[in-house]
């Protein structure tokens, strides 16, 4: 079934893998960026806000692409899962926020690029590793 059911809650395995990868990425970035604590703290705060903005935009963008839901069934936006357009909208909104914070806080391009590359590589590697190990062992 690819999900855990705990009473009325259904938790997909992919969400568990993603949460694990996010937590590992957060702590690894915190360790790798320890030489500049001010940048690290600002970047990690902005990164958490970026994730939240991306997720909220992803869920609410279905209303932008299907405005008839506002009049027929507004709560359907919470239940319907978005497609590629909604994911892309969430990623763009998060990227714009992160870029805005980078300009506002005057982060150096070298530090920002290093943090973004480390974050992406760590997230993808951890997600892939936990997913692979889970399906090999269970």
């Amino acid at each position: 079934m690819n999900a855990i059911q705990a009473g009325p809650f259904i938790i997909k395995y992919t969400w568990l893998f993603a949460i694990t990868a996010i937590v590992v990425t957060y702590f690894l970035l915190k360790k790798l960026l320890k030489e500049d604590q001010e940048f690290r703290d600002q970047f990690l705060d902005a990164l958490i806000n970026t994730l939240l903005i991306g997720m909220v935009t992803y869920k609410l963008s279905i209303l932008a692409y299907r405005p008839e839901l506002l009049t027929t069934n507004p709560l359907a936006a919470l239940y319907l899962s978005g497609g590629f357009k909604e994911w892309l909208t969430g990623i763009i909104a998060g990227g714009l926020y992160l870029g805005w914070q980078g300009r506002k806080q005057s982060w150096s391009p070298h530090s920002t690029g290093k943090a973004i590359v480390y974050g992406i590589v760590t997230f993808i590697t951890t997600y892939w590793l936990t997913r692979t190990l889970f399906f090999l062992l269970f």
Side-chain angles (χ1 to χ4, degrees), residues 29-37 40:
L29 280 176
K30 197 169 187 172
K31 183 167 178 68
L32 290 174
L33 301 173
K34 65 182 173 186
E35 55 279 338
D36 188 4
Q37 288 186 352
R40 179 190 69 189

Side-chain angles (χ1 to χ4, degrees), residues 41-110:
D41 294 340
Q42 291 175 355
F43 182 78
L44 290 177
D45 287 343
L47 193 60
I48 291 170
N49 289 339
T50 297
L51 288 173
L52 292 174
I53 288 170
M55 289 177 64
V56 169
T57 305
Y58 161 70
K59 285 306 283 180
L60 294 179
S61 65
I62 197 162
L63 293 174
Y65 294 113
R66 294 183 54 192
E68 70 273 2
L69 288 176
L70 283 171
T71 57
T72 59
N73 190 3
L75 289 178
L78 297 175
Y79 300 112
L80 295 175
S81 60
F84 179 74
K85 290 185 293 189
E86 287 81 6
W87 273 110
L88 189 61
T89 305
I91 289 170
I92 289 172
L96 288 173
Y97 176 77
L98 193 62
W100 175 67
Q101 282 296 312
R103 281 185 178 250
K104 181 181 170 189
Q105 304 290 341
S106 300
W107 297 336
S108 75
H110 181 314

